[in-house]
Amino acid sequence: MMQASPKPFHEAAVVRRRHLTPGMIRLTLGGGGIAGFRSTGIADEYLRLFFPDPETGELVLPEIGADGRWTFPEDRHRVRYSTYTVRRHDAASCELDIDMVVHAGGRASDWACAASEGDRVVINNPRGLYKPPADCRRQILLGDATGLPAIARILENAPRDMESHVVIEVRDAGEQQTLPEHPGANVTWLTGSGNGVGQSRLGSLLTEMPLGAEPGYLWVAAERAAVRSLRAQADALGCFADDRRKLVAYW
């Protein structure tokens, strides 16, 4: 695991932009600011992208204290930011990939769709949440499109003897992506719901899955209602201790 950067913010520039699917854009960020970026080494690490005001061009950042606490200006709405997973960090080339779900009317989405080479954005230092116990050799990964980048990176870094049961919910078949190959991965795609399209089907999955005597580690990233339902199911089942689960509402 790399040591955290002493600088709280890093300015980056758009190096490349491309559509992975109709509903997801990959932005590659680079520049001198990325040279100071330090990855946590945790597969689902995330950060914030801070955007300038689209009308005035003003960029307002919070103050981050030594204890990591944020202090906002009195009119905190001037701090414009969104949270995203780090899909790839290449320290040698000073590049960072951020995969962004795009949709009409979203602040970050609108910026990503219009971004071109050289456009500037500010990021902060990342944090990660995915921490299965060292003895864990089975995991359940559940997510919608917003959780897909983290799931891909988790599979990329999983031990070869890790058994991964993966379910990803996307709008339609056109939003499915080729995931990193892993000998222990069993991937199921759900389509036609989630991410604002109909009611999520993720929320009832735990009661439908054969968990077995050793359910392993549970990792979930999806919209709030689905995560709330899955957390209640995990509590009722009683087979996922606090150190063997992480459920995060991304939106």
Side-chain angles (χ1 to χ4, degrees):
M1 185 176 299
M2 297 186 69
Q3 186 176 6
S5 169
K7 294 178 57 179
F9 299 107
H10 310 274
E11 187 179 60
V14 176
V15 177
R16 292 183 298 278
R17 178 177 71 90
R18 69 184 180 95
H19 274 274
L20 300 178
T21 68
M24 186 171 286
I25 284 177
R26 172 168 293 171
L27 287 182
T28 300
L29 305 178
I34 300 299
F37 179 86
R38 298 292 182 268
S39 171
T40 65
I42 301 174
D44 68 345
E45 68 180 353
Y46 63 92
L47 48 72
R48 272 85 177 191
L49 275 69
F50 295 86
F51 307 99
D53 185 297
E55 295 182 1
T56 66
E58 181 186 28
L59 175 67
V60 181
L61 300 173
E63 292 184 8
I64 301 181
D67 58 357
R69 292 181 180 273
W70 289 26
T71 301
F72 287 87
E74 186 173 344
D75 47 351
R76 61 179 297 160
H77 70 277
R78 294 169 59 215
V79 180
R80 298 168 175 268
Y81 68 93
S82 293
T83 305
Y84 285 95
T85 300
V86 176
R87 177 62 187 87
R88 178 187 70 100
H89 173 234
D90 187 332
S93 62
C94 294
E95 288 189 348
L96 196 71
D97 284 348
I98 306 290
D99 294 352
M100 307 172 70
V101 175
V102 293
H103 54 88
R107 176 172 56 212
S109 175
D110 290 348
W111 181 86
C113 288
S116 58
E117 183 177 340
D119 284 356
R120 316 296 292 185
V121 68
V122 170
I123 61 175
N124 68 338
N125 291 318
R127 292 184 59 201
L129 300 172
Y130 170 82
K131 297 178 182 179
D135 65 346
C136 182
R137 286 300 175 267
R138 185 174 190 265
Q139 61 184 353
I140 297 171
L141 308 175
L142 309 177
D144 57 23
T146 57
L148 205 167
I151 289 174
R153 193 172 171 193
I154 288 171
L155 291 178
E156 214 166 52
N157 291 276
R160 304 306 284 173
D161 60 345
M162 175 74 84
E163 179 185 343
S164 301
H165 294 268
V166 184
V167 182
I168 305 171
E169 184 175 60
V170 292
R171 182 179 57 200
D172 53 49
E175 295 302 323
Q176 296 180 18
Q177 296 183 26
T178 301
L179 294 174
E181 292 188 6
H182 190 285
N186 180 1
V187 181
T188 299
W189 293 90
L190 301 179
T191 58
S193 58
N195 288 88
V197 182
Q199 185 175 355
S200 172
R201 293 157 61 191
L202 288 175
S204 60
L205 282 184
L206 274 186
T207 57
E208 302 171 3
M209 299 181 75
L211 299 178
E214 296 291 338
Y217 184 76
L218 174 65
W219 183 93
V220 177
E223 61 92 15
R224 196 170 304 278
V227 171
R228 187 185 304 118
S229 175
L230 288 166
R231 182 176 287 113
Q233 291 171 50
D235 289 342
L237 289 167
C239 55
F240 295 101
D242 288 345
D243 67 337
R244 291 182 178 266
R245 65 177 184 177
K246 183 58 66 177
L247 295 87
V248 185
Y250 272 9
W251 56 288

